[in-house]
Amino acid sequence: MSSAHRYLPSYTVEDYQSWAGDWELWQGIPVSMSPSPFGLHQKIATRLATVLQNCIDSTGCEAVVLAEIDWIISENTVVRPDVTVLCGDAPLRHVETTPAIAAEILSPSTAARDRTSKFELYQEERVPWYLILDPDRKQFDAWSRVGSGAYQKQEFTGEAVLDICDGCVIQFAIDRLFA
């Protein structure tokens, strides 16, 4: 084995903040987020953010919906969920607390990562809800933490009901996300 295979650089948030372009940082490893998402992806992300914010506003919950914001998990891990819901107000800079909801809209270039690596990361970081939306199949998958903290898939028919932020319950028609 050559020495090149044994050397794998590890980066920090400080390094990450100086990079040009769109990146995430997974346990010290840079992950390119290029090219930018296509129109359908952005349409679904915008729709999801709007639906979630409208639900939150109508219930009077103390929560905020953010899109494409860095979540600094640790000194060597930064991710950027497509849509994030935080309990309380928006941070002045980046998210540094565990969100109530992290949502990813699948793209051909990120689908495998969203279904595996990000699923595992969000579960490990104890994100209460992980939503995966597939624009091509018009499929909405919702995963919530149960008992020991492992994710369990929640089956919704027509309406999704999510308990977030200390008992705040939001409800919305799933088909609105893909209209």
Side-chain angles (χ1 to χ4, degrees):
M1 173 189 251
S2 75
S3 62
H5 291 287
R6 284 183 271 156
Y7 176 74
L8 186 59
S10 183
Y11 298 95
T12 66
V13 170
E14 186 176 347
D15 298 320
Y16 165 85
Q17 291 173 335
S18 68
W19 297 339
D22 286 329
W23 298 88
E24 289 185 335
L25 184 64
W26 298 1
Q27 298 177 340
I29 309 288
V31 178
S32 175
M33 300 309 291
S34 294
S36 66
F38 296 130
L40 181 58
H41 176 283
Q42 292 300 75
K43 176 183 173 184
I44 301 297
T46 301
R47 227 177 241 291
L48 175 63
T50 301
V51 166
L52 291 173
Q53 191 64 63
N54 287 342
C55 289
I56 288 167
D57 290 346
S58 72
T59 62
C61 293
E62 294 286 328
V64 63
V65 180
L66 303 169
E68 296 285 331
I69 188 167
D70 288 351
W71 172 23
I72 300 174
I73 296 172
S74 68
E75 184 58 30
N76 68 354
T77 303
V78 180
V79 293
R80 189 179 303 155
D82 290 317
V83 176
T84 306
V85 174
L86 298 177
C87 299
D89 289 329
L92 293 177
R93 295 184 43 89
H94 304 294
V95 174
E96 295 187 31
T97 59
T98 302
I101 298 173
E104 299 289 354
I105 290 73
L106 299 182
S107 295
S109 62
T110 65
R113 287 186 268 183
D114 292 342
R115 291 189 191 276
T116 58
S117 300
K118 284 206 173 169
F119 180 95
E120 292 168 8
L121 177 66
Y122 296 161
Q123 180 174 248
E124 182 179 295
E125 293 301 320
R126 305 181 69 74
V127 175
W129 287 96
Y130 180 35
L131 309 179
I132 301 175
L133 288 78
D134 184 337
D136 294 331
R137 293 188 178 129
K138 295 186 177 178
Q139 183 176 337
F140 172 86
D141 291 328
W143 300 85
S144 69
R145 288 188 327 104
V146 294
S148 67
Y151 275 148
Q152 180 176 338
K153 187 171 184 181
Q154 302 300 312
E155 299 294 336
F156 295 116
T157 306
E159 296 269 325
V161 180
L162 311 179
D163 186 352
I164 62 169
C165 304
D166 297 323
C168 174
V169 178
I170 58 174
Q171 183 173 345
F172 55 88
I174 295 167
D175 62 354
R176 289 179 54 200
L177 304 175
F178 301 102

